[in-house]
Amino acid sequence: MELHDLTIHELHDRLKRKEVSSVEATRALLARIEAVDPKVNAYITVTPEEALAAAQDADRRIAAGDIAPLTGIPIGLKDIFVTKGIRTTCASRILGNFVPPYDGTAVARLKEAGAVIVGKLNQDEFAMGSSGESSAFGPTRNPWNLECIPGGSSSGSAAAIAARTATATLGTDTGGSIRQPASHCGCVGLRPTYGRVSRYGVIAYASSLDQVGPLTRDVTDCALMLQAVAGHDPLDSTSVDLPVPDYTKALTGDVKGLRLGLPKEYYIAGLDPDVKMALDEAIETYRGLGVEFIDISLPHTDYAVATYYLVATAEASSNLARYEGVRFGHRAEGAASLIDMFRKTRAEGFGAEVKRRIMLGTYALSSGYYDAYYLKAQKVRTLIMQDFLKAFETVDAILTPVAPTPAFRIGEKTRDPLQMYLSDIFTIPVNLAGTCAVSVPAGMSGNGLPIGLQLIGRPFGEETILRAAHAFEQATAWHQRKAQI
């Protein structure tokens, strides 16, 4: 097996036995990036010098007997994470030359664990998108079919796993931006409970919805990544001060007696036949493992997309007001006045999708419309949250599709934003409720594209959904399939 094919835990075992060095593993990943990424466009910035220096440091730690699960492991970061001395663009022209002076908390924790950062990954601009097509650096392509989207907004994070150009990656999930690309690219993607992982040093899209999470090749790696980045952070006022369990101890393979809910609102008539077949087969697999299924209802699901696009765009309008050309990032030339400079900078620096969402959010927050739109959306959000809490009184987790279809072709939905927004119909409610969910490979479409299933857990119930995902993974072989690129 090639070094770039190894999971975190497989590479860790080889590093621990001194069968391979971190420098060798990092060089193998960098060579893989050079060979494959021109086709996929998963990376915006590759950092070979910094990566090899970190790998050398990791090898010194290992030689001294100081090895943690992520020590010496090559990892990629979505380009939304602030990284000291390394360009951080958020896939936008307005931040095209921005080099931060500090590391975000999640990045700092990975470095403390000994991880090797090999580069910054492509994404939808400011994490606004469901397909990876809105990046100012060009669309990311799905390694399973280069004519198809990888999902978004963490497009590069998922595509790098599928293309074997990163051993693991970090992404962010605002409305499904980890789980949906994980499903489309055949990898594992976890959105932790809001507040479980610090958002300090993550460029904000919608602050009450954004959450950091891992994308990996299997569930064990997902648990290891979450272990490294989770925990309270005094620099993030929304970070929750709760103990971080050892997530790998939950991966027992035993799910007998687990109660999984099947919400009728998610199993709709318009579900793609291949997705439905994959979910039906997954349910039968779980039945064979002793899982009990209970029909449930999440009655406010139909309002989730509309609610999300009011809350998220309103928060985006506020968060993105800071990009005006004065303090950092792009500044337009030839402006006649300060206001003219603001106008020209934002017109030149933001892409079409970002401008659309800023305008939607500004409208929703404007005088005379705040109560009618934004305030009402927040009330519906509370109802959606209550739906989940009520369901968890009778079930341990909820099983649903991740996306209504497999990955679609690049350009297929760019002219119809509403159809694009519906790509996240099954993931958005989780973010509105602030709870946790994981996507795990569960099948393949008739034309050879991955399909994932989603397991939704109660708040801070990551152990339960990881246990259920791991048991399914052990009973199937979907996660072992590789994109031929």
Side-chain angles (χ1 to χ4, degrees):
M1 184 180 286
E2 299 284 349
L3 288 177
H4 61 254
D5 285 323
L6 297 175
T7 63
I8 291 175
H9 54 94
E10 290 169 343
L11 181 54
H12 171 77
D13 289 343
R14 294 197 183 190
L15 290 167
K16 194 172 183 178
R17 295 195 298 264
K18 310 291 198 302
E19 295 175 2
V20 68
S21 69
S22 176
V23 168
E24 290 172 319
T26 302
R27 282 183 174 148
L29 246 295
L30 291 170
R32 178 70 176 172
I33 292 169
E34 186 176 0
V36 170
D37 198 60
K39 304 178 199 174
V40 178
N41 197 30
Y43 282 85
I44 290 176
T45 303
V46 182
T47 56
E49 293 181 5
E50 293 88 343
L52 289 171
Q56 290 171 351
D57 184 60
D59 283 334
R60 286 191 288 269
R61 289 175 60 171
I62 293 167
D66 177 16
I67 181 168
L70 296 187
T71 305
I73 305 296
I75 286 171
L77 299 173
K78 184 177 182 178
D79 205 19
I80 201 168
F81 291 94
V82 169
T83 43
K84 184 177 181 179
I86 298 172
R87 184 175 66 148
T88 301
T89 71
C90 221
S92 178
R93 285 185 294 273
I94 208 159
L95 287 177
N97 61 358
F98 176 56
V99 179
Y102 69 100
D103 283 325
T105 297
V107 178
R109 286 178 176 172
L110 287 178
K111 289 183 176 180
E112 288 168 9
V116 175
I117 309 302
V118 295
K120 306 295 290 295
L121 295 157
N122 207 354
Q123 59 171 85
D124 283 298
E125 184 182 7
F126 281 100
M128 297 181 192
S130 304
S131 66
E133 295 174 278
S134 72
S135 170
F137 298 88
T140 306
R141 296 179 178 271
N142 193 320
W144 292 87
N145 182 337
L146 295 175
E147 299 303 312
C148 291
I149 59 104
S153 66
S154 302
S155 52
S157 300
I161 300 297
R164 301 304 200 257
T165 55
T167 306
T169 65
L170 270 191
T172 59
D173 191 309
T174 306
S177 294
I178 288 173
R179 290 160 288 150
Q180 189 243 34
S183 176
H184 287 337
C185 289
C187 56
V188 177
L190 173 69
R191 180 229 143 81
T193 306
Y194 186 80
R196 173 50 90 186
V197 182
S198 172
R199 294 183 300 107
Y200 179 75
V202 177
I203 296 172
Y205 161 22
S207 301
S208 74
L209 298 165
D210 299 341
Q211 187 55 212
V212 174
L215 293 100
T216 60
R217 307 226 177 106
D218 64 17
V219 177
T220 300
D221 281 5
C222 193
L224 292 170
M225 285 285 286
L226 180 60
Q227 191 78 42
V229 299
H232 180 247
D233 177 16
L235 297 174
D236 176 5
S237 62
T238 63
S239 174
V240 177
D241 191 3
L242 286 176
V244 179
D246 184 344
Y247 293 108
T248 59
K249 288 185 178 179
L251 311 183
T252 63
D254 180 14
V255 289
K256 189 174 182 180
L258 192 75
R259 297 166 300 167
L260 291 183
L262 298 176
K264 64 180 183 179
E265 293 83 4
Y266 283 62
Y267 294 87
I268 56 177
L271 200 61
D272 182 271
D274 289 334
V275 173
K276 185 178 185 304
M277 182 183 298
L279 267 291
D280 288 343
E281 291 176 358
I283 289 169
E284 290 308 309
T285 298
Y286 272 121
R287 289 192 198 279
L289 295 172
V291 168
E292 177 187 354
F293 283 95
I294 299 172
D295 291 328
I296 62 171
S297 177
L298 300 170
H300 293 93
T301 297
D302 289 346
Y303 307 104
V305 172
T307 300
Y308 172 85
Y309 279 101
L310 284 169
V311 174
T313 59
E315 294 183 9
S317 170
S318 176
N319 280 325
L320 271 63
R322 71 193 69 181
Y323 305 108
E324 74 305 63
V326 174
R327 288 164 288 187
F328 45 77
H330 172 71
R331 178 183 294 179
E333 297 180 357
S337 66
L338 186 63
I339 298 301
D340 189 40
M341 189 266 284
F342 288 172
R343 185 184 299 113
K344 286 185 175 180
T345 294
R346 291 167 70 81
E348 293 174 7
F350 289 139
E353 183 59 33
V354 173
K355 290 175 182 175
R356 180 183 295 115
R357 298 195 191 195
I358 288 173
M359 288 189 289
L360 283 169
T362 303
Y363 180 81
L365 291 174
S366 61
S367 178
Y369 295 100
Y370 178 91
D371 289 351
Y373 293 110
Y374 182 72
L375 185 59
K376 187 171 289 185
Q378 291 288 21
K379 291 178 179 179
V380 176
R381 180 182 189 173
T382 300
L383 295 175
I384 291 170
M385 186 184 305
Q386 290 172 349
D387 286 348
F388 278 101
L389 294 177
K390 183 177 180 180
F392 289 127
E393 292 175 2
T394 55
V395 300
D396 300 304
I398 298 168
L399 189 151
T400 77
V402 180
T405 68
F408 47 87
R409 296 181 74 83
I410 290 173
E412 185 177 324
K413 298 185 179 182
T414 51
R415 294 184 181 180
D416 190 346
L418 291 179
Q419 281 299 311
M420 184 78 79
Y421 295 168
L422 289 172
S423 299
D424 298 330
I425 190 170
F426 298 139
T427 53
I428 279 172
V430 170
N431 298 74
L432 292 169
T435 193
C436 59
V438 64
S439 171
V440 62
M444 301 291 290
S445 70
N447 56 357
L449 291 167
I451 296 169
L453 67 81
Q454 178 174 225
L455 291 159
I456 304 170
R458 56 172 50 92
F460 302 99
E462 287 84 1
E463 289 173 284
T464 299
I465 59 174
L466 286 170
R467 175 163 64 99
H470 180 258
F472 178 81
E473 183 180 83
Q474 297 304 299
T476 61
W478 298 114
H479 69 290
Q480 296 174 355
R481 298 204 174 193
K482 289 171 53 179
Q484 300 303 310
I485 184 172

